[in-house]
Amino acid sequence: NAGVTQTPKFQVLKTGQSMTLQCAQDMNHEYMSWYRQDPGMGLRLIHYSVGAGITDQGEVPNGYNVSRSTTEDFPLRLLSAAPSQTSVYFCASSADSSQPQHFGDGTRLSIL
Amino acid sequence: TQLLEQSPQFLSIQEGENLTVYCNSSSVFSSLQWYRQEPGEGPVLLVTVVTGGEVKKLKRLTFQFGDARKDSSLHITAAQPGDTGLYLCAGPRGSNYKLTFGKGTLLTVNP
């Protein structure tokens, strides 16, 4: 009963380092999204995908890259981490455009 | 830009009290979703309201969608400590995989 799995759960980076946040879902969902949650800001959409090979930008895409080579996986890449990217990152998936999203438990990322 | 304003931002009450939290927008949404988020976890969907004027009940929780589909409310009757958490409203920006979230109401129910 895994649902949406995010790894790692916690990460500390130095400014300028790169890393990939992993997201995997086992529900065969076509739609996947990445959000970041900051204190006092709610959740904001970073990137989303409507199927393998198709991605698009959300509300706050700068500094992040995504790809979707399989239905199951939707990794989020930080190419050169900045302190402003310190946040909690959530991945979500849904079966189609009308169904609600299922969220993972998040990755807590600190950039020093 | 479609914005969702939630109020109050923080709410601390005693067990057994009733409460209402609000989610307001100047824009019309096709639907609104309510989530609860507990520390260290992702948001979990409570309900989706779709029709203007709709009322949905989930045990002690009552959700209402405004007639004009610009606002929603969540009423909790006889709150319990287990209701403690961050309550978020969200609306689709065209589709449910592109959600706009409010900033949330952090509810604490004290025993």
Side-chain angles (χ1 to χ4, degrees):
Chain A
N1 205 23
V4 179
T5 303
Q6 291 185 239
T7 56
K9 293 189 183 302
F10 302 94
Q11 184 71 49
V12 179
L13 292 178
K14 294 182 180 179
T15 297
Q17 287 185 316
S18 63
M19 83 158 292
T20 299
L21 280 62
Q22 302 291 345
C23 175
Q25 52 91 10
D26 61 358
M27 297 173 283
N28 201 33
H29 284 174
E30 288 295 324
Y31 297 83
M32 298 185 75
S33 306
W34 275 104
Y35 296 85
R36 60 178 289 175
Q37 185 175 31
D38 302 298
M41 295 292 292
L43 281 83
R44 293 180 292 169
L45 181 65
I46 305 171
H47 284 285
Y48 62 93
S49 169
V50 300
I54 307 170
T55 64
D56 206 345
Q57 296 181 350
E59 191 181 347
V60 288
N62 292 342
Y64 306 95
N65 283 348
V66 292
S67 60
R68 185 98 180 270
S69 57
T70 67
T71 299
E72 294 78 19
D73 300 298
F74 190 39
L76 179 71
R77 296 184 184 86
L78 284 71
L79 297 180
S80 179
S84 61
Q85 294 177 304
T86 293
S87 188
V88 183
Y89 291 85
F90 288 99
C91 178
S93 73
S94 58
D96 61 49
S97 61
S98 66
Q99 295 300 311
Q101 293 188 306
H102 299 257
F103 284 82
D105 284 339
T107 292
R108 283 141 192 85
L109 181 62
S110 293
I111 299 165
L112 307 177
Chain B
T1 303
Q2 295 177 302
L3 295 176
L4 288 167
E5 302 286 343
Q6 289 191 245
S7 61
Q9 188 176 358
F10 302 96
L11 188 56
S12 181
I13 62 171
Q14 295 299 121
E15 183 175 2
E17 292 183 358
N18 301 333
L19 66 113
T20 302
V21 299
Y22 300 92
C23 175
N24 295 298
S25 175
S26 58
S27 303
V28 174
F29 281 90
S30 59
S31 63
L32 281 178
Q33 302 170 15
W34 284 93
Y35 291 82
R36 182 168 67 207
Q37 184 179 19
E38 300 191 18
E41 299 182 5
V44 175
L45 181 70
L46 296 173
V47 77
T48 301
V49 286
V50 178
T51 306
E54 181 177 9
V55 177
K56 280 192 173 179
K57 293 190 175 183
L58 186 66
K59 297 184 180 178
R60 293 174 294 100
L61 279 61
T62 302
F63 304 85
Q64 186 163 6
F65 200 13
D67 291 340
R69 291 187 288 129
K70 292 184 178 181
D71 57 271
S72 182
S73 63
L74 159 60
H75 182 79
I76 301 179
T77 303
Q80 299 177 359
D83 296 326
T84 292
L86 179 67
Y87 289 82
L88 296 159
C89 67
R93 300 191 304 165
S95 300
N96 276 345
Y97 55 87
K98 296 188 290 182
L99 292 174
T100 292
F101 280 84
K103 294 180 181 179
T105 294
L106 185 60
L107 172 66
T108 303
V109 182
N110 302 298

